[in-house]
Amino acid sequence: MRLAPRPRKNLLFWLGVIVFLLSMSLWSARGIGFSLTELVCNLTDGSRLLRESWPPDLAFLARLVDPMLETVFIAVVGTVVGGIFAIPVAVLAARNLTPNRLTWFADRNFMNILRTLPDLFWAMLFATAVGFGPVAGALALTVFTVAVISKLYSESLESIDMGLPEAIRAVGGSWLQMIQFGALPQALQHYVSYALYAFELNIRASVVLGLVGAGGIGMILETQRANFEYERVTMIILAVLVAVLMIEEVSESIRKRLT
Amino acid sequence: MSSHSDLLRQPGPPIGFATIVTFVIALMFIVSMFAIGFTPGQMAEVPAGVARVLSFFWPVDMAYGWDRVLPAIVESIQIAWIGTIIAALLSLPLALFGARTLFPRVARVVKLISATARAFPEILLAIYFVPIVGLGPFAGALAIGISSVGMLTKLGAEVVDSLDFGTVEAVEAAGGSRILALRWAVLPQVLPEIIAHWLFRFELNIRASAVLGVVGAGGVGGVLLNVVLAIDMISGEIRRRIIRS
C-alpha cells in the first residue's frame, strides 16, 4: 500500500527558525555565563540554604492566617475590577471586532504599555499615591490583571467564528449587540479560564508586592527572610502552595461546570 | 393529559451554576473591599498621586546614556531567553503527561510538581540559586526558568485537556499507541497555542528579569516597550503561520 505523499512544509522557513533559536540561545547562554558544570559541581555544597530551610517551622502557621487572608482579599479585588476593565480593552484590540483601525492601534499600544511596566512598578506607584497598605496592592493588581487578561482574551476573540457576529450585523444589530451576543459568548470559556489564571497569578504576585509594603503575606516573608529564618520561609511557601492548590481545584471544577 | 395551564406551571430553568458563581464572586468582592479598608475618598486621591509620581519620571535623563542602559537591557533579554528555553524544554513533556484526560494518574503528580514550582516567588528562587552558581544573571535565569516551568506546564496541560479527542481515538483505532497518538494527534493540535504561551511567557520574563534588579527603573521604559511591541508582532505572525500550515 502506498501512503499519500506527505505535504511539503516550507523547509527554508523552518530551517531559519531553528537557526535563529539556536543562535539566540547560544548568544544568551554566553552572555549570562551559563555553565552546566558550575551548576552540577556546586549543587551539593551550595544546597546549605536548602538544608537550613527544612523542616518548616510549623508553629509559625498560626501567625500566617491573617496575612494570608489579606493576600486573598487583595487578589479578589484586583481580579474582579481588572477582569471587568479587561473586557472592553480586549474587544477593541481584537482585529476582527474593533470599530476602526485607529482605535485598534491606540488600544493595542495601551495594552503594550501596561504590560511593559512590571507589577512592582505599579505597586510602588500606587503605594506613593494612596499610602502603603493593601489598597495600593489591590490597585497594582488591578492594572496587572487588565494587562494579562486583555492580551490573552483579545487573542481568543480574534480566533472566534465570525459567522455569528456577521449574522447579527446583517439582521440590523448594532456594533454593541454584535459584541454582546455574537462575539463575547463564543470566547466565554476562554475568558473564565483566563480570569481564574489571573486570580492565581495575583495570589502569587501579592507575595511579591508585599516586599514593597503593599500588604499581604509577602511582608511577613520579607521580614523572616531578612532575619535568616529560612524554616519560617519554608512554612510561608507551604502556605502559599496550599492556597494555590486549593484555588486550582476550585477553578478546575468551576471551569468544568461552566462549559 | 397535559393542558395548557400544566405547561405554565412547570418550573422555569433552575438557577444556573453560573448565576451562583457570579453571586459568590460578587459577595467575595464586597467582603474583600471592606477587609482591605477601601474608602471612596482614597480613590479621589489616586489621579493626583499617580500624576505626582509619574512626574518624577519626566523628563528622561538622557545624560544617563544609552551605553549604560543598553547592555542592561540586552542582559535582561538574555536572562529571559535562557529562562524561557529551560521552561519550554521542561514543560512540554510535563504538559503532555499532565493532561488528566489522557493520563489521569500521572497528571496528579505533574500537577503537584507544577504547583510547587509556582508557589515560590522568583526573587526567593534566585536567593536559593545564588550559593550554587554565584550572584549574577545565571542565578536569575535559573530562577525565572523554574518558576516558568510551573505556569507553562499548567497552561499547556489545560490546552491538551481542551482539545478534540477524535484524532486521538482515530490513531488508537488504527493501532497506534498512546505515545504515537501524542505525537501525531495531540501535538499538532496544541502546538500553536503552546507556542503562543511560550512567547507570552518570554515577554513576562523580560519584565521579571527587570524586577530581579538587573535593570534599574527609569530610562529603560521606552526601549523595553519596543521589545514588547516586537515580541507581540512576532508572536502574532507565528501564530498565524502555524494555524495556516
Side-chain angles (χ1 to χ4, degrees), chain A residues 13 24-25 27 34 38 42 73 112 115-118 120 125 151 197 200 204 225 248-249 255, chain B residues 32 35 53 78 81 111 115 118 124 127 132-133 138 151 154 158 203 207 211 225 229 232 241:
Chain A
F13 171 73
M24 186 81 185
S25 301
W27 173 67
F34 185 93
E38 197 181 356
N42 295 341
F73 292 143
N112 283 326
R115 272 180 301 132
T116 303
L117 298 165
L120 272 186
L125 181 71
K151 157 96 177 167
Y197 166 56
E200 205 200 302
R204 288 165 14 93
R225 195 198 58 74
E248 201 166 274
E249 212 53 54
R255 203 171 10 191
Chain B
S32 300
V53 180
Q78 289 174 328
W81 181 271
K111 199 171 153 188
R118 272 175 293 138
L124 192 65
I127 291 167
I132 302 177
V133 297
F138 189 23
M151 210 68 227
K154 175 188 155 70
E158 271 166 19
E203 200 186 297
R207 297 195 300 167
V211 171
L225 178 62
L229 276 173
D232 197 48
R241 270 199 185 239

Side-chain angles (χ1 to χ4, degrees), chain A residues 2-251:
Chain A
R2 268 193 56 145
L3 293 171
R6 283 186 38 202
R8 275 176 71 104
K9 296 259 170 62
N10 190 343
L11 236 155
L12 216 61
F13 171 73
W14 287 110
L15 206 67
V17 167
I18 289 170
V19 168
F20 171 75
L21 288 179
L22 273 180
S23 50
M24 186 81 185
S25 301
L26 286 175
W27 173 67
S28 301
R30 279 188 53 151
I32 65 162
F34 185 93
S35 139
L36 219 56
T37 43
E38 197 181 356
L39 182 61
V40 176
C41 293
N42 295 341
L43 209 53
T44 41
D45 52 73
S47 58
R48 183 183 51 86
L49 209 55
L50 291 178
R51 280 196 299 276
E52 264 175 40
S53 312
W54 201 261
D57 184 357
L58 288 171
F60 194 56
L61 188 61
R63 277 166 58 191
L64 287 181
V65 177
D66 284 346
M68 194 70 222
L69 274 176
E70 192 174 62
T71 290
V72 174
F73 292 143
I74 294 172
V76 166
V77 173
T79 315
V80 171
V81 181
I84 293 169
F85 280 121
I87 296 176
V89 177
V91 167
L92 294 180
R95 214 180 279 256
N96 50 347
L97 300 174
T98 193
N100 57 57
R101 256 194 103 69
L102 188 70
T103 325
W104 176 79
F105 185 75
D107 190 44
R108 198 92 198 171
N109 281 314
F110 171 67
M111 270 168 53
N112 283 326
I113 292 171
L114 285 191
R115 272 180 301 132
T116 303
L117 298 165
D119 42 6
L120 272 186
F121 168 83
W122 296 111
M124 284 189 271
L125 181 71
F126 289 118
T128 18
V130 299
F132 291 103
V135 175
L139 285 170
L141 288 186
T142 301
V143 178
F144 182 62
T145 306
V146 173
V148 171
I149 297 187
S150 62
K151 157 96 177 167
L152 292 168
Y153 193 41
S154 75
E155 274 174 8
S156 297
L157 286 172
E158 278 181 354
S159 62
I160 59 168
D161 169 24
M162 281 306 281
L164 194 56
E166 273 161 21
I168 290 174
R169 283 301 253 190
V171 296
S174 68
W175 181 80
L176 216 57
Q177 283 168 331
M178 170 189 90
I179 299 295
Q180 189 188 346
F181 300 108
L184 295 184
Q186 279 194 61
L188 183 65
Q189 184 186 350
H190 290 250
Y191 176 75
V192 170
S193 71
Y194 296 148
L196 293 167
Y197 166 56
F199 182 56
E200 205 200 302
L201 272 187
N202 282 343
I203 291 273
R204 288 165 14 93
S206 63
V207 175
V208 179
L209 296 187
L211 304 184
V212 294
I217 203 162
M219 270 155 93
I220 310 282
L221 181 70
E222 181 54 17
T223 17
Q224 298 309 323
R225 195 198 58 74
N227 293 326
F228 303 106
E229 298 272 14
Y230 279 100
E231 294 176 352
R232 290 183 171 179
V233 170
T234 312
M235 193 61 238
I236 296 170
I237 297 295
L238 279 179
V240 176
L241 174 65
V242 171
V244 169
L245 278 175
M246 271 161 54
I247 290 166
E248 201 166 274
E249 212 53 54
V250 172
S251 75

Side-chain angles (χ1 to χ4, degrees), chain B residues 35-227:
Chain B
I36 65 171
F38 175 87
T39 56
Q42 260 176 319
M43 285 307 99
E45 292 168 26
V46 170
V50 168
R52 189 165 47 84
V53 180
L54 286 181
S55 71
F56 300 154
F57 288 85
W58 200 261
V60 180
D61 180 8
M62 284 301 179
Y64 190 67
W66 283 104
D67 48 336
R68 258 182 290 181
V69 176
L70 218 53
I73 293 164
V74 167
E75 190 170 58
S76 88
I77 292 172
Q78 289 174 328
I79 292 174
W81 181 271
I82 294 295
T84 313
I85 291 277
I86 293 175
L89 292 178
L90 291 178
S91 72
L92 185 60
L94 280 175
L96 292 178
F97 288 104
R100 58 171 59 186
T101 35
L102 288 175
F103 306 95
R105 290 233 181 77
V106 190
R108 273 165 201 276
V109 184
V110 171
K111 199 171 153 188
L112 196 66
I113 295 173
S114 103
T116 313
R118 272 175 293 138
F120 287 88
E122 271 138 10
I123 293 179
L124 192 65
L125 279 173
I127 291 167
Y128 286 129
F129 279 118
V130 164
I132 302 177
V133 297
L135 195 66
F138 189 23
L142 288 172
I144 283 180
I146 297 300
S147 84
S148 305
V149 167
M151 210 68 227
L152 286 179
T153 302
K154 175 188 155 70
L155 289 173
E158 271 166 19
V159 174
V160 178
D161 267 338
S162 69
L163 62 71
D164 166 29
F165 283 101
T167 46
V168 176
E169 280 162 21
V171 171
E172 291 188 336
S177 66
R178 257 285 130 98
I179 303 293
L180 272 178
L182 270 188
R183 167 64 188 89
W184 295 107
V186 176
L187 210 54
Q189 281 191 75
V190 298
L191 216 49
E193 248 186 283
I194 285 186
I195 290 178
H197 281 311
W198 285 351
L199 285 161
F200 186 46
R201 193 68 213 186
F202 176 51
E203 200 186 297
L204 283 181
N205 283 346
I206 291 178
R207 297 195 300 167
S209 75
V211 171
L212 281 177
V214 186
V215 183
V220 296
V223 190
L224 213 54
L225 178 62
N226 282 335
V227 173

